Amino acid sequence: SLRGNMFEPGKDDFASDAERYASLARQAEALVSGEQDPVANAANLSALIFQGVPRLNWAGFYFLRGEELIVGPFQGLPACVRIPLGAGVCGTASRERRTVVVQDVDAFPGHIPCDAASRSEVVVPLIDDDGRLLGVLDVDSPERARFGPDDVAGLEAIARRYVDSLA
């Protein structure tokens, strides 16, 4: 169904990051409700995050294919296409199956600089209810130390909605 332009996140309309992410979570739920296509949902959620969270330069998904992550839908400059498991921030989050927050990518051993402007990054693993790793949600900022606890919790909630949409 066509939803029109009902999603207008507005980057500066919130008193707190927690309020922003609560709004984004509601919008994410509406976007994926009734839709199970993984590419469609990843595309819409990438756009929602990129438009709704201030001071980002990249937001998107990588999907696990064999022993590497392959770029999926995203917003931002063209990205690295393939990332081996365990390499860079995305590969580390995948291998360790935990959210990884990097406040200064230059200080992260093995960081893969897909966009030279990126200075901080959050990567959330996408793990289904059976414990299978599906990929990661990756969000970058051109600012060092951009991401705090509200960002992490908010992005993890959106990642969970993505995974739940596939069931």
Side-chain angles (χ1 to χ4, degrees):
S1 70
L2 295 176
R3 290 188 168 94
N5 193 13
M6 60 186 269
F7 299 96
E8 297 181 18
K11 294 184 181 185
D12 299 314
D13 299 339
F14 301 98
S16 70
D17 286 339
E19 288 178 10
R20 174 188 325 283
Y21 282 107
S23 174
L24 289 174
R26 288 189 299 274
Q27 293 177 70
E29 183 63 34
L31 281 169
V32 302
S33 178
E35 181 55 64
Q36 292 183 313
D37 186 88
V39 173
N41 286 344
N44 272 332
L45 293 177
S46 296
L48 180 72
I49 293 165
F50 194 74
Q51 295 301 316
V53 178
R55 304 184 325 272
L56 300 182
N57 61 311
W58 204 90
F61 290 78
Y62 279 87
F63 298 124
L64 182 64
R65 299 291 182 261
E67 292 299 309
E68 60 188 356
L69 297 166
I70 306 294
V71 71
F74 67 90
Q75 300 278 309
L77 292 178
C80 302
V81 174
R82 297 173 183 272
I83 299 175
L85 286 182
V89 184
C90 289
T92 298
S94 295
R95 186 187 65 230
E96 297 180 5
R97 295 172 163 258
R98 67 174 178 88
T99 299
V100 175
V101 181
V102 177
Q103 299 295 6
D104 181 355
V105 296
D106 294 330
F108 188 88
H111 174 254
I112 301 169
C114 294
D115 180 346
S118 293
R119 293 290 171 260
S120 57
E121 184 170 4
V122 175
V123 179
V124 181
L126 305 170
I127 300 172
D128 72 11
D129 290 340
D130 294 326
R132 288 186 302 247
L133 177 71
L134 306 176
V136 297
L137 169 61
D138 181 16
V139 179
D140 294 11
S141 173
E143 297 180 12
R144 282 185 174 80
R146 160 65 186 86
F147 301 107
D150 288 336
D151 296 289
V152 172
L155 293 168
E156 287 177 339
I158 292 170
R160 182 79 245 157
R161 279 173 175 75
Y162 174 77
V163 171
D164 289 347
S165 78
L166 306 179

